[in-house]
């Protein structure tokens, strides 16, 4: 059974978090003072209510972003960067409370929430540094007549939509480059986890962000508030992180105003273990790639392909590690596996495992929900998972590791690439040539070569195929919020 420990500061941090809409620098209620509930996934109880925006509230937020755009674009890059830097410092100084707030609304264990707070803050530090490095070009054209001047300007008001699995980092990865580039924005966090984003917006105000540069809209009906903004000519940019199904819908909606679109969508990461791999390192990498965020990560290893000669040893060692994890409400320091986000996600993981077992998969450990008041699922290792099982093609988004085998490199690559997704892949081998050869052959935007975590604010994060468009973080992240302008100079 799962116990439900409490934390001495949990009521305080929930109480302190803003719960209204942030529009034009003012916190205000939604029209009609409507609210929706925020739930603790570890207990299924309500933590608090936050404002439930109407479409008119959303358009008011877009109007505020639009009105602030020209002034914000004219702020010196150094000032924009210094606001981000101050926000970085504040986030780090309040890491404990922010982590607790995140654990309460999202469920991840405190240690992981602390890790996400640091990761989230690092995007602000990175983009504080990038704000002053927005370059341009000055060139002599091939015929020598006149000159070319190329400058890069903010694209304009941006609409940002984030998922629940990394409630703060998915926001700072968009807000950081938007602020650095000189774009104003309206952000809509996921309905399950609005509190972390509202707390972040308050920190940015404290750091000196002018009114209207960041507006926050929380809503129970995401489509109802987003579509009017996406179709409004005052918006110029859409940056979305979430499922591929919603991403496809948003591309269609964005076509009307021809928005500049960036999308970080779903994944179905393959994890390849070759027979020349360091087995312990591969198991450690598998634990990170599978169990980070309770398996609820777009980068989560979704399919394990292990060379037939080492598959029994790999699955036994992985099962031993998975079954030793402590499950519970994440506010307790010794907990390693929190609940899934909600009843729907628990139902999905349960169905995917039942489907795989019905098709012949063997359970090495786990294989069922964990019980308790919240949405807990037992860490699970399955072997002999057939290619026809639903989990071979669908994101599991839970602590379940399905293992199948291969016998040669080509087969491993073909199986890994046999998906519409292309976010990240992982491979373990001690042969450098093989490592680079296979890395180049994998159809994904990112590869973890002998490592189970690829995310880094200084690196370009993003996918190919149905996993998305564009990159976040690294040197490329700010480009998504800039447009080049070419000025042709005559008379020279
Ligand atoms: P989701 O259902 O697509 O929701 C993501 C966000 O979109 C939420 O804020 C949601 O609001 C909003 N949304 C839902 N329907 C919408 C609509 N019709 N119009 C506008 N916005 C809408 O995804 P999720 O289940 O929250 O998140 C998990 C997915 O995100 C997974 O597929 C995961 O792989 C992906 N993800 C990708 C990355 C990446 O970088 N590639 C990172 C993290 C997660 P509500 O919450 O109010 O519904």
């Amino acid at each position: 059974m799962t116990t439900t420990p409490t934390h001495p500061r949990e009521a305080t941090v929930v109480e302190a978090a803003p719960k209204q809409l942030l529009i034009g620098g003012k916190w205000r209620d939604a029209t009609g003072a409507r609210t929706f509930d925020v739930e603790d996934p570890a207990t299924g109880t309500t933590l608090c209510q936050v404002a439930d925006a109407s479409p008119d509230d959303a358009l008011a937020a877009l109007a505020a972003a639009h009105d602030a755009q020209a002034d914000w674009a004219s702020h010196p890059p150094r000032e924009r960067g210094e606001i981000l830097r101050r926000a970085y410092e504040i986030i780090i100084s309040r890491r404990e409370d922010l982590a607790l707030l995140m654990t309460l609304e999202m469920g991840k264990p405190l240690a992981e929430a602390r890790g996400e707070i640091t990761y989230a803050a690092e995007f602000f530090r990175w983009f504080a540094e990038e704000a002053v490095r927005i370059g341009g070009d000055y060139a002599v054209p091939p015929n020598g007549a006149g000159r070319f001047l190329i400058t890069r300007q903010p694209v304009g008001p941006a609409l940002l939509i984030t998922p629940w699995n990394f409630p703060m980092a998915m926001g700072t990865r968009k807000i950081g480059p938007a602020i650095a580039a000189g774009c104003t924005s309206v952000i809509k966090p996921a309905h399950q986890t609005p509190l972390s984003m509202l707390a972040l917006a308050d920190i940015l105000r404290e750091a000196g962000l002018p009114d209207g540069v960041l507006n926050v809209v929380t809503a129970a009906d995401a489509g109802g508030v987003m579509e009017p903004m996406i179709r409004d000519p005052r918006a110029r940019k859409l940056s979305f992180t979430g499922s591929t199904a919603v991403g496809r819908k948003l591309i269609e909606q964005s076509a009307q105003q021809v928005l500049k679109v960036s999308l970080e969508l779903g994944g179905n990461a393959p994890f390849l273990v070759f027979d020349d791999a360091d087995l312990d390192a591969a198991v450690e990498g598998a634990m990170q790639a599978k169990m980070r965020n309770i398996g609820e990560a777009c980068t989560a290893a979704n399919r394990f392909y292990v060379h037939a000669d080492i598959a029994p040893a790999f699955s036994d060692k992985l099962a031993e590690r998975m079954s030793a994890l402590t499950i519970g409400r994440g506010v307790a320091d010794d907990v390693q596996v929190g609940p899934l986000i909600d009843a729907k996600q628990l139902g999905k993981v349960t169905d995917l495992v039942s489907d795989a077992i019905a098709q012949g998969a063997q359970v090495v450990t786990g294989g069922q929900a964990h019980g308790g008041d919240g949405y807990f699922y037992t860490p699970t290792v399955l072997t002999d998972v057939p290619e026809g099982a639903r989990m071979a093609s669908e994101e599991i988004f839970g602590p379940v590791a399905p293992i199948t085998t291969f016998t040669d490199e080509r087969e491993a690559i073909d199986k890994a690439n046999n998906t519409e997704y292309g976010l990240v892949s992982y491979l373990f081998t001690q042969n450098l040539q093989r490592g680079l050869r296979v890395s180049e052959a994998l159809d994904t935007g990112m590869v973890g070569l002998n490592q189970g975590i690829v995310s880094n604010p200084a690196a370009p994060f993003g996918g190919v195929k149905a996993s998305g468009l564009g990159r976040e973080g690294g040197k490329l992240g700010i480009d998504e919020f800039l447009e080049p302008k070419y000025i042709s100079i005559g008379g020279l």
Side-chain angles (χ1 to χ4, degrees), residues 19 29-37 49-52 220:
K19 299 177 187 69
D29 284 339
T31 301
R34 282 165 42 130
T35 60
F36 66 92
D37 290 347
Q49 281 83 30
V50 300
D52 183 7

Side-chain angles (χ1 to χ4, degrees), residues 228-268:
M229 289 196 281
I230 292 169
R231 294 188 186 278
D232 189 298
R234 289 172 293 188
R236 293 308 320 137
K237 160 86 194 169
L238 173 70
S239 177
F240 169 75
T241 299
S243 61
T244 295
V246 172
R248 287 192 167 113
K249 218 185 280 184
L250 298 181
I251 294 176
E252 282 180 24
Q253 293 175 13
S254 302
Q256 188 172 325
Q257 298 297 336
V258 195
L259 297 186
K260 186 175 167 87
V261 174
S262 14
L263 304 167
E264 298 287 351
L265 307 177
N268 181 7

Side-chain angles (χ1 to χ4, degrees), residues 186-467:
V186 179
I187 191 161
K188 193 211 76 64
H191 72 276
Q192 296 97 331
T193 56
L195 301 174
S196 297
M197 183 60 62
L198 291 164
L200 179 71
D202 216 25
I203 287 173
L204 278 161
R205 292 177 76 216
E206 193 180 329
L209 194 70
D211 292 350
V213 175
L214 177 72
N215 304 276
V216 187
V217 167
T218 49
D221 176 10
V225 294
M226 287 314 303
E227 190 167 354
M229 289 196 281
I230 292 169
R231 294 188 186 278
D232 189 298
R234 289 172 293 188
R236 293 308 320 137
K237 160 86 194 169
L238 173 70
S239 177
F240 169 75
T241 299
S243 61
T244 295
V246 172
R248 287 192 167 113
K249 218 185 280 184
L250 298 181
I251 294 176
E252 282 180 24
Q253 293 175 13
S254 302
Q256 188 172 325
Q257 298 297 336
V258 195
L259 297 186
K260 186 175 167 87
V261 174
S262 14
L263 304 167
E264 298 287 351
L265 307 177
N268 181 7
F271 189 105
L272 311 182
V273 187
F274 289 91
D275 51 356
D276 54 17
D278 173 334
L279 199 58
D280 289 332
V283 170
E284 183 58 36
M287 288 299 291
Q288 293 173 331
K290 181 73 256 180
M291 293 308 292
R292 179 173 177 231
N293 223 39
I294 321 156
E296 294 173 312
C298 53
T299 50
N302 208 60
R303 300 168 290 148
F304 289 80
Y305 296 114
V306 184
H307 192 281
D309 290 352
I310 56 164
F314 177 84
S315 46
D316 286 351
K317 279 180 182 249
L318 185 62
E320 196 185 323
R321 292 279 302 273
M322 296 274 269
S323 57
L325 295 171
T326 307
I327 305 170
R329 190 169 186 243
V331 299
D333 257 322
D334 61 336
V335 165
Q336 294 162 297
V337 184
L340 297 175
I341 189 69
D342 54 23
K344 190 170 152 216
Q345 189 56 30
L346 178 61
K348 182 184 170 197
V349 173
T350 306
D351 287 352
L352 287 177
V353 172
S354 303
D355 166 76
I357 293 171
Q359 295 199 45
Q362 304 295 314
V363 179
V364 188
T365 187
Q368 72 280 313
H370 181 70
D373 298 332
Y375 310 117
F376 296 92
Y377 198 87
T378 313
T380 295
V381 176
L382 303 175
T383 55
D384 303 321
V385 180
E387 284 290 295
R390 278 176 56 202
M391 65 172 63
S393 54
E394 291 180 36
E395 262 186 313
I396 303 169
F397 247 52
V400 178
I403 299 175
T404 47
T405 59
F406 67 87
T407 49
D408 71 64
E409 189 179 302
R410 189 67 250 167
E411 181 193 358
I413 294 168
D414 289 347
K415 282 182 165 168
N417 286 342
N418 184 23
T419 169
E420 67 165 336
Y421 295 104
L423 188 62
V424 62
S425 41
Y426 304 92
L427 71 133
F428 280 73
T429 173
Q430 293 190 84
N431 177 328
L432 181 62
Q433 281 73 21
R434 166 177 273 160
L436 294 176
R437 189 168 61 235
V438 175
S439 294
E440 289 185 10
L442 290 167
D443 292 339
T444 53
M446 302 175 287
V447 176
L449 174 53
N450 292 323
Q451 69 174 6
I453 292 186
V454 295
S455 307
N456 190 313
F461 187 103
V464 299
K465 297 160 63 181
S467 288

Side-chain angles (χ1 to χ4, degrees), residues 35-53:
T35 60
F36 66 92
D37 290 347
V38 182
E39 191 187 40
D40 177 348
T43 59
T45 56
T46 299
L47 285 172
C48 63
Q49 281 83 30
V50 300
D52 183 7

